[in-house]
Amino acid sequence: MIKGVIFDLDGVIVSTDEFHYQAWQQMADEEGIYFDRHINERLRGVSRMESLEIILERARKQYSEDQKTELATRKNNYYKVLLDTRLSPKDILPGVMKVLTDLKNSNIKIAIGSSSRNSPSILKHIDLEAFFDATADGNDIKKSKPDPEVFLIAAQRLGLEPDECVVVEDAEAGITAALNGGMKALAVGSAISDKRAHFAAKDLAEITIDQIINIS
Ligand code: B16
Ligand code: MG
């Protein structure tokens, strides 16, 4: 029986994905590295340093570990400026507030399970920092998605077993992580055509909480 729902953050609760794209594009342009929206799709749900490695596949020179750290820090600084100046509750994605409120009113526990180390700041900017029963994010984990660590920590913090939880994800790496963790997977947004998910929809506006808690 489903007792908890673990939500990915970027691409599920809020559209910070465009800010990630713009920040990576700025860094790549400065370095003369080819980058586009198609490559950006591969960064969905992937950690910051793993994202950088994907971008560097198109670099024409080798970067040392220190230089890679500088590139990732530079991108993150651009990203944080975008979060601070542009992110607000209006960026919460369609259907999210209704689903979260309905789950709460039905005594289903809700958590965040995000790869992002900026997750606390993002939740603050969209006024949802006190809304979830638990959060787990990039600051808590050693292995990022597709490893299930972040979702297992979220489930543990909810006091639930993995098979009592549904994970809502927009990334292939996140669907894999949910399945690797023994959880049910609900695919939304960019992951809609992922056949491995137990259920899929364009966004949370198209889903009722009965469909979530009866997922099989
Ligand atoms: P940060 P999620 C992920 O968030 C993003 O989808 C991914 O593009 C990003 O690289 C990753 O967080 C790390 O983010 O640089 O802020 O630590 O989808 O897992 O909520
Ligand atoms: Mg995501």
Side-chain angles (χ1 to χ4, degrees):
M1 185 183 159
I2 297 302
K3 296 180 179 169
V5 183
I6 303 171
F7 293 85
D8 173 57
L9 183 58
D10 170 34
V12 170
I13 299 288
V14 67
S15 51
T16 44
D17 39 359
E18 179 63 22
F19 300 150
H20 277 296
Y21 166 69
Q22 289 178 17
W24 282 124
Q25 185 77 66
Q26 186 172 348
M27 186 283 288
D29 287 349
E30 287 165 358
E31 292 298 311
I33 301 168
Y34 180 77
F35 181 64
D36 61 18
R37 285 181 185 275
H38 182 69
I39 299 171
N40 187 61
E41 280 302 306
R42 291 173 59 202
L43 313 184
R44 227 170 251 287
V46 174
S47 75
R48 195 180 308 163
M49 292 311 285
E50 285 164 330
S51 298
L52 176 66
E53 292 296 343
I54 291 170
I55 290 169
L56 292 183
E57 288 172 10
R58 301 296 285 263
R60 280 169 301 195
K61 68 172 215 186
Q62 292 286 328
Y63 288 85
S64 69
E65 290 309 308
D66 283 352
Q67 287 172 321
K68 287 180 185 176
T69 303
E70 189 279 319
L71 295 180
T73 303
R74 199 193 316 165
K75 177 267 176 177
N76 195 50
N77 289 338
Y78 296 147
Y79 179 62
K80 285 197 293 190
V81 170
L82 291 169
L83 294 181
D84 288 345
T85 56
R86 307 250 301 271
L87 186 63
S88 75
K90 72 175 173 8
D91 295 299
I92 295 174
L93 288 164
V96 167
M97 290 315 300
K98 178 165 175 27
V99 163
L100 292 180
T101 307
D102 288 352
L103 287 168
K104 273 201 154 191
N105 290 339
S106 303
N107 289 322
I108 304 290
K109 298 244 185 270
I110 54 173
I112 288 289
S114 168
S115 300
S116 178
R117 302 179 82 169
N118 291 296
S119 178
S121 157
I122 293 167
L123 289 172
K124 197 167 175 198
H125 278 97
I126 59 173
D127 285 343
L128 286 182
E129 58 187 331
F131 208 80
F132 291 89
D133 299 300
T135 62
D137 61 46
N139 300 292
D140 298 307
I141 55 174
K142 292 191 181 60
K143 289 170 276 178
S144 57
K145 302 168 190 176
D147 190 280
E149 186 179 11
V150 76
F151 295 139
L152 293 175
I153 293 173
Q156 192 181 40
R157 289 179 178 171
L158 290 177
L160 299 177
E161 295 299 324
D163 64 1
E164 294 175 318
C165 298
V166 175
V167 167
V168 188
E169 258 290 351
D170 73 313
E172 189 186 322
I175 300 289
T176 310
L179 301 176
N180 283 344
M183 298 163 179
K184 296 282 192 289
L186 164 55
V188 295
S190 299
I192 189 171
S193 50
D194 192 324
K195 298 279 178 285
R196 302 167 306 153
H198 296 88
F199 200 83
K202 184 163 88 45
D203 57 35
L204 287 174
E206 306 219 320
I207 294 182
T208 65
I209 71 156
D210 284 342
Q211 286 172 310
I212 298 178
I213 58 186
N214 292 317
I215 203 164
S216 60

